[in-house]
Amino acid sequence: DQQVKQNSPSLSVQEGRISILNCDYTNSMFDYFLWYKKYPAEGPTFLISISSIKDKNEDGRFTVFLNKSAKHLSLHIVPSQPGDSAVYFCAASFTGTASKLTFGTGTRLQVTL
Amino acid sequence: ETGVTQSPTHLIKTRGQQVTLRCSSQSGHNTVSWYQQALGQGPQFIFQYYREEENGRGNFPPRFSGLQFPNYSSELNVNALELDDSALYLCASSFIAGGPSYEQYFGPGTRLTVT
């Protein structure tokens, strides 16, 4: 039962353009969402998060949008840089679950020159 | 500030054996979680330890067990290894102070291969 889904296994974007990574979830109890970035041979690195009481959160080049009615969130990276090339995981959690994170399967982003 | 470290980096075991993986939490963190990441999948929550007690568990059998020590380092033990246990095992630490802590900081993982 995949409660967090990332339907695009890969995405290629030109340097300087916007990267949009999508994530859908099925469990309406989720109330906190996170994005992690993972380089090969490293653990996932926390990028940005959003609480379900908000619909947008920005941190520099990274913005996360949450659409609760559609059970959908997206990560926008503007402008994209070659160093952003990595696997991006969407994760979700809800109160009372010991901060258990439920991850999607990841989207591999390649930023080309 | 010291990050999360894990040992060993790689490990090869035979089906039926037992394995112990180790994790050292980030300085100042009091909670450790363990995840299993199979090839092509996202990390799956195994369990979390807080104040040396299990504080939540995912859908993993009892042969997966853990410990958290007073210095907040941790071990993951897996008994009776099966081929499907081959995966990257990730440790993540966080700080809980009166409420949930969602932002977890991961180590580089231990790659376990069961033959």
Side-chain angles (χ1 to χ4, degrees):
Chain A
D1 176 26
Q2 193 73 24
Q3 297 187 60
V4 177
K5 301 176 186 179
Q6 293 177 257
N7 292 319
S8 299
S10 63
L11 176 67
S12 183
V13 172
Q14 271 191 319
E15 181 181 11
R17 303 277 187 129
I18 183 171
S19 294
I20 300 176
L21 294 96
N22 294 303
C23 177
D24 297 294
Y25 61 96
T26 57
N27 191 335
S28 57
M29 292 185 67
F30 286 140
D31 58 11
Y32 202 81
F33 303 89
L34 307 90
W35 285 93
Y36 280 82
K37 177 170 73 173
K38 187 178 187 300
Y39 293 118
E42 295 183 13
T45 303
F46 170 73
L47 259 183
I48 190 169
S49 63
I50 188 167
S51 163
S52 60
I53 62 174
K54 296 184 176 181
D55 54 18
K56 177 182 174 181
N57 188 27
E58 273 183 272
D59 185 0
R61 297 186 298 114
F62 302 92
T63 302
V64 56
F65 295 91
L66 175 62
N67 182 334
K68 282 176 293 192
S69 60
K71 294 192 178 68
H72 177 83
L73 66 156
S74 60
L75 174 68
H76 292 209
I77 306 173
V78 184
S80 300
Q81 299 174 354
D84 296 329
S85 297
V87 177
Y88 288 78
F89 290 99
C90 169
S93 187
F94 58 91
T95 309
T97 59
S99 310
K100 163 188 171 180
L101 296 179
T102 300
F103 282 86
T105 53
T107 295
R108 181 176 301 279
L109 173 65
Q110 184 171 11
V111 180
T112 58
L113 299 173
Chain B
E1 187 176 79
T2 309
V4 178
T5 59
Q6 292 185 242
S7 63
T9 306
H10 295 89
L11 201 53
I12 300 175
K13 288 286 191 177
T14 302
R15 189 171 47 184
Q17 286 187 316
Q18 176 265 344
V19 68
T20 298
L21 310 181
R22 294 179 173 83
C23 170
S24 183
S25 298
Q26 182 162 315
S27 176
H29 286 181
N30 59 9
T31 303
V32 65
S33 302
W34 285 91
Y35 291 81
Q36 179 196 66
Q37 186 179 11
L39 205 59
Q41 301 297 314
Q44 278 200 301
F45 178 76
I46 303 175
F47 43 55
Q48 183 183 83
Y49 278 81
Y50 170 63
R51 291 185 174 177
E52 301 174 50
E53 290 194 3
E54 190 177 288
N55 186 39
R57 189 177 184 92
N59 294 326
F60 282 82
R63 59 189 185 85
F64 285 78
S65 63
L67 285 172
Q68 184 186 30
F69 300 101
N71 66 354
Y72 304 122
S73 64
S74 176
E75 287 182 356
L76 164 66
N77 298 290
V78 187
N79 293 322
L81 283 167
E82 300 177 0
L83 297 178
D84 284 349
D85 296 333
S86 296
L88 180 69
Y89 288 84
L90 294 162
C91 166
S93 73
S94 57
F95 182 74
I96 291 180
S101 174
Y102 302 106
E103 293 166 16
Q104 300 178 18
Y105 296 83
F106 285 81
T110 293
R111 172 74 60 188
L112 172 65
T113 302
V114 182
T115 62

